[in-house]
Amino acid sequence: MHHPFTPLASVPVDVARARVHEEGWQSWSPSGAYALGEKPHRPANDNWATVCYRPGRTVPAGVFQGEGLLALDPGDGTPVRLWAASDPYRAVPSIRLEVHGDRAEVSADGPVRELTGPDARSVLAEWADGLGVAPLRPAPTVWCSWYEYFTEVTEDDIHENLRAMDTLDLPVDVVQIDDGYQSALGDWLTLSGRFRSRAGIADTIRARGRRAGIWTAPFLIAPDSELATVHPDWLVRDTEGAPVHAGHNWGHDLYALDTTHPDAAAYLTHVFATLRSEGYDYFKVDFLYAGALDGVRHSGADPLTAYREGIALIRDAIGPDAYLLGCGAPILPSIGLFDAMRVSPDTAPHRRPEADDFSQPGQDSAEFTGRARQWQHGRLWINDPDCLMARPAVETRERWAAHVEATGGLMASSDRLLSLDAWGVATTRRLLMRGAR
């Protein structure tokens, strides 16, 4: 239920020097600081508003809005002020700032508390430190299939890159198979025709002294999947009984899994327990926004409770020792649930995102939000800035590599390793060695 916005503060500002930090809803939502005269990044179309921003929270023109966190540097030498969700695990209010003359009017549609500090990053870090997140484990180094092969990855591609890791002497801890091994979203245990044996490839990875990792989008369901056809009662519904629209991707509409349904929960547990038993112990779980969409669920749980319970099911199934990386995940409701978290939109071989929407893949958009969320690293989780791409065809590969290195977070390569030139091999080896320390 959305509540009305109520005033929080009226703050005098130096209009020319003041800055506002907006925190986006999920991994891909733009987050960053703006001058008062700048226009914050907003969705270019309705589909991206669902998939990459906070659904149902349209922001009026001329208004700054943070989801659970908004910071204001008044620009006049007075302390930075941060308004933060009082209970981010259960309620994430939208916090707005509007400028009227030389004053900033701040309001929120739910409970918040206020902190002050010398600058935005330090006050955000202070807020994070106060949450009491358990000590974090170092991230392994990773090779990921996505940015070279996308959904067309084959088992033979994995074998080729495994051999190349040895030939090139690359310190890769985890070989992570990304999207493309499964027959459909939701049918995670049924293989596409490009893979022969999920357990077999895991055995091969481990026999070479590396760990096996795998990608899923556990809360998304394709309409033509066996799961949606056989178990339509496992889907989150709208108030009229239709499946909740979870966006459009892969050329079709998307549904959301109702993990509060006992049978759906048992299925999710079975999927992850099976993958764990096959030797996978690194799990990238993606498109997690779907688990927190508004809708009617079997248990009547609110979206954030359902989301956290769904992630808890996954953690219980894979065990405490497995490494869990979130992506496309609601940021504040994910605190305390993950080892590592993607903190930006996807990168890409190109700089500019489509339609200049900074939730979309591109090096510019990934750097903008990744830098703004650097305060989260080592406090809420290990930051994942997204993968290094060092092959010659990647635009401004030197600049992208420098960004990945500067974050100090999860280090992952995502090239066909035999396509790397001398610079690409040396850079990939150096960044992976830094990540392995």
Side-chain angles (χ1 to χ4, degrees):
M1 178 183 297
H2 297 169
H3 300 284
F5 282 80
T6 58
L8 296 174
S10 179
V11 185
V13 294
D14 180 330
V15 175
R17 300 178 61 189
R19 308 251 323 158
V20 179
H21 171 89
E22 290 187 342
E23 182 66 32
W25 170 241
Q26 53 123 308
S27 300
W28 306 323
S29 307
S31 293
Y34 304 91
L36 297 187
E38 290 185 279
K39 292 183 178 180
H41 295 293
R42 298 291 182 251
N45 59 52
D46 290 342
N47 183 54
W48 294 345
T50 296
V51 175
C52 301
Y53 293 79
R54 190 172 191 177
R57 300 292 178 96
T58 302
V59 186
V63 174
F64 296 97
Q65 181 164 303
E67 303 303 339
L69 295 170
L70 185 139
L72 169 65
D73 180 348
D76 58 4
T78 58
V80 169
R81 299 172 69 168
L82 171 69
W83 293 271
S86 297
D87 185 358
Y89 308 107
R90 295 176 178 83
V92 180
S94 296
I95 307 167
R96 288 181 175 173
L97 184 148
E98 301 179 56
V99 180
H100 298 287
D102 62 356
R103 300 194 75 84
E105 307 295 339
V106 182
S107 61
D109 65 357
V112 301
R113 64 190 187 97
E114 184 178 343
L115 293 83
T116 60
D119 56 69
R121 181 167 174 174
S122 63
V123 74
L124 285 162
E126 178 188 350
W127 175 79
D129 289 338
L131 296 174
V133 174
L136 300 168
R137 293 181 285 175
T141 58
V142 181
W143 179 86
C144 167
S145 64
W146 178 247
Y147 285 109
E148 181 73 59
Y149 304 101
F150 297 97
T151 58
E152 299 305 309
V153 64
T154 69
E155 187 166 324
D156 290 339
D157 294 328
I158 306 300
H159 285 289
E160 178 197 280
N161 283 281
L162 269 170
R163 294 190 295 270
M165 289 169 206
D166 292 339
T167 301
L168 299 173
D169 190 26
L170 297 177
V172 174
D173 297 323
V174 173
V175 176
Q176 184 230 305
I177 302 168
D178 213 280
D179 187 10
Y181 69 88
Q182 78 285 355
S183 62
L185 298 175
D187 298 339
W188 303 110
L189 299 182
T190 305
L191 292 175
S192 68
R194 295 180 297 278
F195 279 75
R196 297 177 290 275
S197 170
R198 199 176 46 248
I201 191 66
D203 287 344
T204 299
I205 293 168
R206 296 167 70 204
R208 288 179 173 269
R210 308 186 195 273
R211 296 165 59 185
I214 198 161
W215 173 94
T216 61
F219 303 142
L220 279 186
I221 307 298
D224 60 352
S225 65
E226 181 179 358
L227 188 151
T229 302
V230 177
H231 302 290
D233 54 322
W234 293 4
L235 306 178
V236 180
R237 299 279 169 173
D238 63 24
T239 55
E240 297 181 355
V244 161
H245 179 63
H248 186 92
N249 205 347
W250 296 275
H252 53 71
D253 288 338
L254 303 167
Y255 298 155
L257 181 69
D258 179 5
T259 56
T260 74
H261 190 294
D263 294 335
Y267 170 73
L268 193 66
T269 296
H270 172 67
V271 165
F272 281 92
T274 298
L275 295 173
R276 186 70 181 87
S277 70
E278 291 174 348
Y280 295 92
D281 70 351
Y282 176 98
F283 295 85
K284 178 181 176 181
V285 286
D286 206 349
F287 291 82
L288 296 180
Y289 70 88
L293 290 171
D294 288 337
V296 178
R297 290 171 168 82
H298 183 272
S299 73
D302 65 87
L304 297 192
T305 297
Y307 170 73
R308 288 183 66 86
E309 289 178 350
I311 299 298
L313 284 172
I314 293 170
R315 172 56 80 184
D316 287 347
I318 64 176
D321 295 334
Y323 206 84
L324 187 60
L325 164 64
C327 187
I331 289 292
L332 268 60
S334 295
I335 293 170
L337 299 178
F338 294 92
D339 296 295
M341 175 62 70
R342 170 74 72 72
V343 292
S344 70
D346 282 11
T347 187
H350 51 270
R351 290 221 62 90
R352 297 301 292 178
E354 184 179 349
D356 269 347
D357 185 317
F358 267 47
S359 72
Q360 295 304 292
Q363 294 170 37
D364 283 342
S365 48
E367 288 179 12
F368 175 80
T369 294
R371 285 194 301 266
R373 286 179 167 157
Q374 190 63 22
W375 61 272
Q376 298 176 5
H377 178 57
R379 293 183 173 90
L380 304 183
W381 34 61
I382 301 299
N383 278 13
D384 171 19
D386 210 3
C387 298
L388 171 70
M389 292 181 293
R391 57 190 183 268
V394 173
E395 185 179 351
T396 61
R397 58 178 179 165
E398 296 88 353
R399 176 174 163 182
W400 176 247
H403 169 73
V404 172
E405 183 173 17
T407 68
L410 189 149
M411 294 289 175
S413 163
S414 194
D415 291 299
R416 177 175 178 253
L417 295 174
L418 294 181
S419 75
L420 295 174
D421 59 5
W423 183 91
V425 171
T427 300
T428 300
R429 182 183 295 119
R430 179 170 59 81
L431 265 64
L432 290 174
M433 288 181 67
R434 175 172 176 168
R437 290 201 293 267

